Amino acid sequence: MELYIGRILYPVKTLGPGERLGIWFSGCSIRCRGCMSRELWERKPYQLWDGDKLRRFIFSLPPNIDKATISGGEPFDQPEALLFLLRLLKEKGFSDIWIFSGYKYETLKEKFSQHLELADVLIDGPFVESLPTDLIWRGSSNQRMILLSPKARKIHRKWVNFKVSKRELQVVNLPQGFLFVGIPKAGDWKWR
Ligand code: SF4
């Protein structure tokens, strides 16, 4: 198994509730105008992970790291790799797995129901700069928070229509420069 992964960070505090393991797939064929992750549109050779290395990494994590957010790039542009990762996270005991995808739920349900069965929450749809929203963890109003698992329907229902007046972005200092993690409001992130 080979996976193109742009970055893995912990703790990520702005892509779902709590402190989460953030995993960004590399490569995106959707290419929304105003995307804040343009550096992940193209896959790069150094982003290639083999499945064994990823397995060793996930299983080396302490048990308190049990919530994950998978984003990108576009995770479903690497469907086999995504399924592999989801199975690994479940096997390790992750109890709350979120996926951000630029594809709509209906499309994913038809093609990738196996993937959705392993996740708890899906934030779906492309980022549309002209559709600002105050809904938490969504960049534009077309994006929905879909509660996939029974557990998510119990504990995350309160977030579906939860609005925020301010957006929090986490600033991470990486060797290659500062990285902003989170969901800015449409229009806040300038097209570069
Ligand atoms: S789907 Fe996500 S990563 Fe891809 S262009 Fe749209 S916002 Fe960016």
Side-chain angles (χ1 to χ4, degrees):
M1 173 55 58
E2 292 186 332
L3 312 90
Y4 283 89
I5 294 178
R7 68 179 80 98
I8 300 179
L9 294 174
Y10 181 85
V12 169
K13 302 172 183 175
T14 50
L15 293 173
E19 299 198 339
R20 316 180 67 86
L21 180 70
I23 303 163
W24 283 260
F25 275 67
S26 182
C28 180
S29 59
I30 301 176
R31 309 206 165 187
C32 314
R33 184 173 171 80
C35 168
M36 69 176 289
S37 303
R38 285 185 65 184
E39 76 283 3
L40 296 177
W41 281 5
E42 300 287 346
R43 292 176 198 152
K44 317 241 171 36
Y46 64 83
Q47 295 169 330
L48 190 61
W49 284 61
D50 80 63
D52 288 342
K53 182 179 163 194
L54 188 65
R55 165 174 282 276
R56 283 197 298 278
F57 172 75
I58 296 290
F59 276 84
S60 73
L61 296 169
N64 63 305
I65 301 182
D66 66 349
K67 295 187 271 295
T69 293
I70 302 169
S71 180
E74 173 48 54
F76 286 92
D77 281 356
Q78 297 180 67
E80 286 176 18
L82 177 59
L83 191 58
F84 177 81
L85 172 63
L86 288 165
R87 285 177 174 153
L88 265 188
L89 293 172
K90 292 301 264 192
E91 201 186 325
K92 174 66 169 57
F94 274 70
S95 63
D96 191 37
I97 302 173
W98 290 35
I99 307 175
F100 283 72
S101 171
Y103 294 108
K104 287 178 76 171
Y105 169 68
E106 290 75 10
T107 307
L108 296 176
K109 193 163 183 282
E110 205 173 294
K111 291 170 74 177
F112 303 119
S113 61
Q114 227 182 337
H115 299 64
L116 299 183
E117 278 165 22
L118 294 168
D120 294 285
V121 173
L122 172 75
I123 309 289
D124 84 331
F127 172 67
V128 180
E129 219 173 7
S130 59
L131 296 176
T133 183
D134 291 328
L135 290 168
I136 194 166
W137 299 309
R138 275 145 290 176
S140 54
S141 62
N142 60 303
Q143 296 175 325
R144 296 168 294 178
M145 182 183 294
I146 316 273
L147 306 176
L148 299 167
S149 68
K151 183 184 169 195
R153 286 192 278 278
K154 212 185 255 182
I155 65 172
H156 294 317
R157 189 170 294 283
K158 61 186 174 213
W159 301 118
V160 172
N161 294 311
F162 192 89
K163 294 187 176 176
V164 284
S165 54
K166 281 190 202 155
R167 296 287 171 153
E168 284 191 1
L169 289 180
Q170 188 179 344
V171 183
V172 183
N173 190 359
L174 298 176
Q176 57 272 38
F178 288 109
L179 173 75
F180 294 90
V181 178
I183 312 288
K185 210 169 173 173
D188 282 356
W189 201 256
K190 297 290 176 217
W191 179 257
R192 294 155 290 161

